[in-house]
Amino acid sequence: MKLQRKNRLRALSLGAVAVSGALALTACGSDDTGGSGSGDSSAPAANSAIKCDDAKGELLAAGSSAQKNAVDAWVKQYTASCKDVRINYNPNGSGAGITNFLQGQTAFAGSDSPLDAEEITKSAEVCKDSQAIDLPMVGGPIAVSYNLPGVDGLVLDASTLAKIFDDKIKTWDDAAIKKLNPDADLPKTKILTFHRSDDSGTTDNFTKYLKAAAASDWKYEGGKAWQAKGGQSATGSSGLAQQVTQTAGAISYMELSYAKDAQTVHVKTDAATPVEATVDNATKAIAEAKVVGEGKDLALELNYEPTAEGAYPITLVTYEIACEKGNKAETLAATKSFLTYLASEEGQAILKDASYAPMPEEIITKVRTTVAGLS
């Protein structure tokens, strides 16, 4: 984790001015910056299940690009009911989102990895007499997306994926890939891997899978910063998706909602049949997660080596990160109201339509109780 922490500390030292400028742009509601506002003329009718309470004003948040499409759907529903609240979410990546939050610039952060011990300690600076906590709110599969015309349903296992992303397997007709796909007409095309250039919880979870399921082939420490050799980089999941769709021979990793315009790998596990990246298959794996956070913190430990039939092994959970106590008075009502909606039955129900997985009932019940106690 040393490289990750070094990068995080370097980001913190860049100063608040640049970050504030980025958030100011987001606050203008520009879709180009990922902001989500209430000015959509096609917004749905008010949802009576959403409780606005005393929520009003502007709510700034930032972080995980993985959950952006879910946040967009949530904001559209929520602001149709709570018209006095304007929500702007900047999908600048999990690492940057945590940095923004720890600098006191956002009401909450989105991250595809829970806070580490150093970040929890630092959060006491913005969470007066308290600390930040992880609230698991949305899950889903990390799809391995590829661009190989004429090759559908490509099967890869953890070992082969590790070697591909570590620049050890260089062409699509490699013997290891042929063995997993005996009936496929694999070309001699060079494999072009793409990874995230920004600190990313998606990277963290993808490499955790490689480390857990292919330990002998993936020797890197892991974390939000990409560490392996070779490959090209792009910013955000949308950047990776664009590179894959535009580049023959490309392969990358991204949330399923970003992989709709490309082919996705079927992952071979210890189960009898290779598993496709689907919301339902991800839910089967996430259901095996364990709460490992202390106190009100609901950080999860995922199982990256499920053996159940249909359980997709490369999954992530996106957390909303807020102060347990000591939230800013001017945004507390809106933060609690919005997070309450996200964790509600209605908020979780719309996730599947956006290619995300709702949290298992046992977990989301704890989230609802914890959100109700934010102060």
Side-chain angles (χ1 to χ4, degrees), residues 142-322:
I142 300 175
V144 180
S145 181
Y146 69 98
N147 183 341
L148 207 57
V151 181
D152 297 319
L154 183 73
V155 175
L156 296 175
D157 58 15
S159 175
T160 307
L161 282 167
K163 292 174 182 176
I164 286 173
F165 280 92
D166 197 23
D167 204 30
K168 300 289 177 58
I169 292 179
K170 300 178 182 294
T171 61
W172 283 108
D173 63 346
D174 186 273
I177 302 177
K178 283 184 175 181
K179 184 177 180 180
L180 292 166
N181 301 271
D183 299 325
D185 184 13
L186 296 168
K188 296 181 179 180
T189 306
K190 181 180 178 181
I191 297 175
L192 299 173
T193 61
F194 288 89
H195 58 265
R196 290 278 289 270
S197 59
D198 52 323
D199 278 9
S200 161
T202 311
T203 294
D204 189 18
N205 283 278
F206 179 63
T207 55
K208 280 180 179 175
Y209 159 73
L210 295 177
K211 190 173 181 179
S216 60
D217 298 303
W218 192 259
K219 301 296 186 180
Y220 301 97
E221 184 179 1
K224 295 184 179 71
W226 184 260
Q227 299 172 0
K229 303 174 183 177
Q232 301 178 55
S233 64
T235 302
S237 295
S238 59
L240 294 181
Q242 183 178 31
Q243 292 296 333
V244 171
T245 56
Q246 294 179 348
T247 310
I251 186 170
S252 188
Y253 56 93
M254 64 197 71
E255 299 71 40
L256 182 62
S257 63
Y258 289 92
K260 292 180 178 179
D261 296 326
Q263 302 153 298
T264 58
V265 167
H266 293 209
V267 178
K268 188 179 186 309
T269 67
D270 288 338
T273 306
V275 186
E276 184 178 0
T278 69
V279 168
D280 290 337
N281 289 345
T283 298
K284 292 178 183 178
I286 294 172
E288 298 182 21
K290 298 178 181 179
V291 176
V292 294
E294 298 181 359
K296 297 293 185 180
D297 185 77
L298 297 176
L300 301 177
E301 182 180 281
L302 299 175
N303 180 12
Y304 295 101
E305 297 183 274
T307 58
E309 291 296 327
Y312 184 77
I314 319 176
T315 60
L316 61 74
V317 167
T318 295
Y319 300 87
E320 312 311 331
I321 296 170

